[in-house]
Amino acid sequence: QLQAFGGGLVQAGGSLRLSCAASGRTFSMYTLGWFRQAPGKERESVALIRRNGDITYADAVKGRFTISRDYARSTVFLQMNSLIPEDTAVYYCIADRGEGPVVAGTIDYWGQGTLVTVSS
């Protein structure tokens, strides 16, 4: 299971740090990451970190968000800086066993989501 923490309300330009703790199994061999879903929009990938440490970011968050993971604790973090209203969404942590592209329809595990609201 995945449990996400850290969402909330922040003003534009502010920062938040999301964390997600995985339990029930060892996730060191999984890709961990974050998706988000804004009102009226589809879920989209935000940041992923592979088991070998390779990282990918959505273009919209590059330079502002930083993903990291603690292999020993099966925890993934998302440091979000310079937040803008367009970052408002429910953020979901994910874990995926595959080595190929990570797409919403085939992800193995989803967290429950945490709401991030950025006010202008």
Side-chain angles (χ1 to χ4, degrees), residues 103-118:
V103 293
T106 58
I107 287 172
D108 295 292
Y109 297 97
W110 289 87
Q112 86 284 8
T114 184
L115 177 62
V116 172
T117 304
V118 184

PDB file of all heavy atoms in Angstrom, residues 103-118:
ATOM      1  N   VAL A 103       2.509   4.294 -17.671  1.00  0.00           N
ATOM      2  CA  VAL A 103       1.268   4.922 -18.112  1.00  0.00           C
ATOM      3  C   VAL A 103       0.185   4.642 -17.083  1.00  0.00           C
ATOM      4  O   VAL A 103       0.162   3.578 -16.450  1.00  0.00           O
ATOM      5  CB  VAL A 103       0.835   4.424 -19.506  1.00  0.00           C
ATOM      6  CG1 VAL A 103       1.824   4.887 -20.549  1.00  0.00           C
ATOM      7  CG2 VAL A 103       0.680   2.919 -19.535  1.00  0.00           C
ATOM      8  N   ALA A 104      -0.734   5.581 -16.950  1.00  0.00           N
ATOM      9  CA  ALA A 104      -1.720   5.511 -15.880  1.00  0.00           C
ATOM     10  C   ALA A 104      -2.524   4.221 -15.901  1.00  0.00           C
ATOM     11  O   ALA A 104      -2.855   3.669 -14.851  1.00  0.00           O
ATOM     12  CB  ALA A 104      -2.645   6.723 -15.952  1.00  0.00           C
ATOM     13  N   GLY A 105      -2.826   3.735 -17.091  1.00  0.00           N
ATOM     14  CA  GLY A 105      -3.713   2.577 -17.187  1.00  0.00           C
ATOM     15  C   GLY A 105      -3.112   1.259 -16.736  1.00  0.00           C
ATOM     16  O   GLY A 105      -3.863   0.295 -16.519  1.00  0.00           O
ATOM     17  N   THR A 106      -1.789   1.202 -16.578  1.00  0.00           N
ATOM     18  CA  THR A 106      -1.166  -0.084 -16.255  1.00  0.00           C
ATOM     19  C   THR A 106      -0.323  -0.043 -14.993  1.00  0.00           C
ATOM     20  O   THR A 106       0.390  -0.993 -14.701  1.00  0.00           O
ATOM     21  CB  THR A 106      -0.277  -0.561 -17.422  1.00  0.00           C
ATOM     22  OG1 THR A 106       0.719   0.441 -17.686  1.00  0.00           O
ATOM     23  CG2 THR A 106      -1.110  -0.785 -18.673  1.00  0.00           C
ATOM     24  N   ILE A 107      -0.414   1.017 -14.235  1.00  0.00           N
ATOM     25  CA  ILE A 107       0.384   1.138 -13.009  1.00  0.00           C
ATOM     26  C   ILE A 107      -0.088   0.116 -11.978  1.00  0.00           C
ATOM     27  O   ILE A 107      -1.288  -0.095 -11.802  1.00  0.00           O
ATOM     28  CB  ILE A 107       0.287   2.577 -12.464  1.00  0.00           C
ATOM     29  CG1 ILE A 107       1.109   3.509 -13.366  1.00  0.00           C
ATOM     30  CG2 ILE A 107       0.750   2.663 -11.025  1.00  0.00           C
ATOM     31  CD1 ILE A 107       0.944   4.966 -13.062  1.00  0.00           C
ATOM     32  N   ASP A 108       0.875  -0.481 -11.287  1.00  0.00           N
ATOM     33  CA  ASP A 108       0.541  -1.553 -10.352  1.00  0.00           C
ATOM     34  C   ASP A 108      -0.104  -1.050  -9.064  1.00  0.00           C
ATOM     35  O   ASP A 108      -1.047  -1.661  -8.553  1.00  0.00           O
ATOM     36  CB  ASP A 108       1.802  -2.355 -10.013  1.00  0.00           C
ATOM     37  CG  ASP A 108       2.353  -3.079 -11.221  1.00  0.00           C
ATOM     38  OD1 ASP A 108       1.673  -4.015 -11.697  1.00  0.00           O
ATOM     39  OD2 ASP A 108       3.432  -2.709 -11.695  1.00  0.00           O
ATOM     40  N   TYR A 109       0.417   0.018  -8.502  1.00  0.00           N
ATOM     41  CA  TYR A 109      -0.094   0.502  -7.220  1.00  0.00           C
ATOM     42  C   TYR A 109      -0.277   2.022  -7.254  1.00  0.00           C
ATOM     43  O   TYR A 109       0.580   2.742  -7.765  1.00  0.00           O
ATOM     44  CB  TYR A 109       0.870   0.155  -6.075  1.00  0.00           C
ATOM     45  CG  TYR A 109       1.059  -1.322  -5.863  1.00  0.00           C
ATOM     46  CD1 TYR A 109       2.152  -1.972  -6.428  1.00  0.00           C
ATOM     47  CD2 TYR A 109       0.151  -2.071  -5.119  1.00  0.00           C
ATOM     48  CE1 TYR A 109       2.335  -3.334  -6.247  1.00  0.00           C
ATOM     49  CE2 TYR A 109       0.334  -3.430  -4.940  1.00  0.00           C
ATOM     50  CZ  TYR A 109       1.425  -4.055  -5.513  1.00  0.00           C
ATOM     51  OH  TYR A 109       1.589  -5.409  -5.338  1.00  0.00           O
ATOM     52  N   TRP A 110      -1.393   2.450  -6.661  1.00  0.00           N
ATOM     53  CA  TRP A 110      -1.705   3.878  -6.520  1.00  0.00           C
ATOM     54  C   TRP A 110      -1.901   4.201  -5.049  1.00  0.00           C
ATOM     55  O   TRP A 110      -2.530   3.424  -4.320  1.00  0.00           O
ATOM     56  CB  TRP A 110      -2.998   4.228  -7.253  1.00  0.00           C
ATOM     57  CG  TRP A 110      -2.919   4.195  -8.743  1.00  0.00           C
ATOM     58  CD1 TRP A 110      -3.106   3.108  -9.551  1.00  0.00           C
ATOM     59  CD2 TRP A 110      -2.660   5.295  -9.610  1.00  0.00           C
ATOM     60  NE1 TRP A 110      -2.964   3.479 -10.866  1.00  0.00           N
ATOM     61  CE2 TRP A 110      -2.705   4.810 -10.938  1.00  0.00           C
ATOM     62  CE3 TRP A 110      -2.400   6.654  -9.403  1.00  0.00           C
ATOM     63  CZ2 TRP A 110      -2.481   5.625 -12.042  1.00  0.00           C
ATOM     64  CZ3 TRP A 110      -2.185   7.464 -10.505  1.00  0.00           C
ATOM     65  CH2 TRP A 110      -2.228   6.954 -11.805  1.00  0.00           C
ATOM     66  N   GLY A 111      -1.410   5.372  -4.641  1.00  0.00           N
ATOM     67  CA  GLY A 111      -1.750   5.879  -3.327  1.00  0.00           C
ATOM     68  C   GLY A 111      -3.124   6.531  -3.363  1.00  0.00           C
ATOM     69  O   GLY A 111      -3.752   6.634  -4.416  1.00  0.00           O
ATOM     70  N   GLN A 112      -3.562   7.019  -2.235  1.00  0.00           N
ATOM     71  CA  GLN A 112      -4.922   7.528  -2.121  1.00  0.00           C
ATOM     72  C   GLN A 112      -5.067   8.952  -2.622  1.00  0.00           C
ATOM     73  O   GLN A 112      -6.174   9.417  -2.786  1.00  0.00           O
ATOM     74  CB  GLN A 112      -5.406   7.469  -0.656  1.00  0.00           C
ATOM     75  CG  GLN A 112      -5.031   8.660   0.204  1.00  0.00           C
ATOM     76  CD  GLN A 112      -3.598   8.663   0.635  1.00  0.00           C
ATOM     77  OE1 GLN A 112      -2.776   7.855   0.201  1.00  0.00           O
ATOM     78  NE2 GLN A 112      -3.250   9.588   1.528  1.00  0.00           N
ATOM     79  N   GLY A 113      -3.998   9.661  -2.860  1.00  0.00           N
ATOM     80  CA  GLY A 113      -4.066  11.030  -3.357  1.00  0.00           C
ATOM     81  C   GLY A 113      -4.025  12.048  -2.247  1.00  0.00           C
ATOM     82  O   GLY A 113      -4.586  11.836  -1.168  1.00  0.00           O
ATOM     83  N   THR A 114      -3.375  13.156  -2.517  1.00  0.00           N
ATOM     84  CA  THR A 114      -3.327  14.263  -1.578  1.00  0.00           C
ATOM     85  C   THR A 114      -3.520  15.550  -2.378  1.00  0.00           C
ATOM     86  O   THR A 114      -2.936  15.730  -3.438  1.00  0.00           O
ATOM     87  CB  THR A 114      -2.007  14.277  -0.783  1.00  0.00           C
ATOM     88  OG1 THR A 114      -2.041  15.314   0.199  1.00  0.00           O
ATOM     89  CG2 THR A 114      -0.785  14.475  -1.675  1.00  0.00           C
ATOM     90  N   LEU A 115      -4.374  16.431  -1.872  1.00  0.00           N
ATOM     91  CA  LEU A 115      -4.758  17.623  -2.613  1.00  0.00           C
ATOM     92  C   LEU A 115      -3.759  18.743  -2.392  1.00  0.00           C
ATOM     93  O   LEU A 115      -3.418  19.080  -1.256  1.00  0.00           O
ATOM     94  CB  LEU A 115      -6.154  18.087  -2.178  1.00  0.00           C
ATOM     95  CG  LEU A 115      -6.677  19.374  -2.809  1.00  0.00           C
ATOM     96  CD1 LEU A 115      -6.821  19.214  -4.326  1.00  0.00           C
ATOM     97  CD2 LEU A 115      -8.013  19.764  -2.181  1.00  0.00           C
ATOM     98  N   VAL A 116      -3.321  19.309  -3.493  1.00  0.00           N
ATOM     99  CA  VAL A 116      -2.468  20.495  -3.481  1.00  0.00           C
ATOM    100  C   VAL A 116      -3.242  21.629  -4.134  1.00  0.00           C
ATOM    101  O   VAL A 116      -3.693  21.493  -5.280  1.00  0.00           O
ATOM    102  CB  VAL A 116      -1.150  20.243  -4.236  1.00  0.00           C
ATOM    103  CG1 VAL A 116      -0.356  21.542  -4.382  1.00  0.00           C
ATOM    104  CG2 VAL A 116      -0.316  19.187  -3.513  1.00  0.00           C
ATOM    105  N   THR A 117      -3.396  22.721  -3.415  1.00  0.00           N
ATOM    106  CA  THR A 117      -4.108  23.885  -3.935  1.00  0.00           C
ATOM    107  C   THR A 117      -3.175  25.079  -3.878  1.00  0.00           C
ATOM    108  O   THR A 117      -2.654  25.420  -2.817  1.00  0.00           O
ATOM    109  CB  THR A 117      -5.373  24.177  -3.123  1.00  0.00           C
ATOM    110  OG1 THR A 117      -6.216  23.019  -3.104  1.00  0.00           O
ATOM    111  CG2 THR A 117      -6.141  25.341  -3.740  1.00  0.00           C
ATOM    112  N   VAL A 118      -2.978  25.703  -5.036  1.00  0.00           N
ATOM    113  CA  VAL A 118      -2.099  26.868  -5.125  1.00  0.00           C
ATOM    114  C   VAL A 118      -2.968  28.081  -5.449  1.00  0.00           C
ATOM    115  O   VAL A 118      -3.600  28.130  -6.500  1.00  0.00           O
ATOM    116  CB  VAL A 118      -1.018  26.674  -6.201  1.00  0.00           C
ATOM    117  CG1 VAL A 118      -0.065  27.873  -6.201  1.00  0.00           C
ATOM    118  CG2 VAL A 118      -0.250  25.382  -5.963  1.00  0.00           C
TER     119      VAL A 118
END
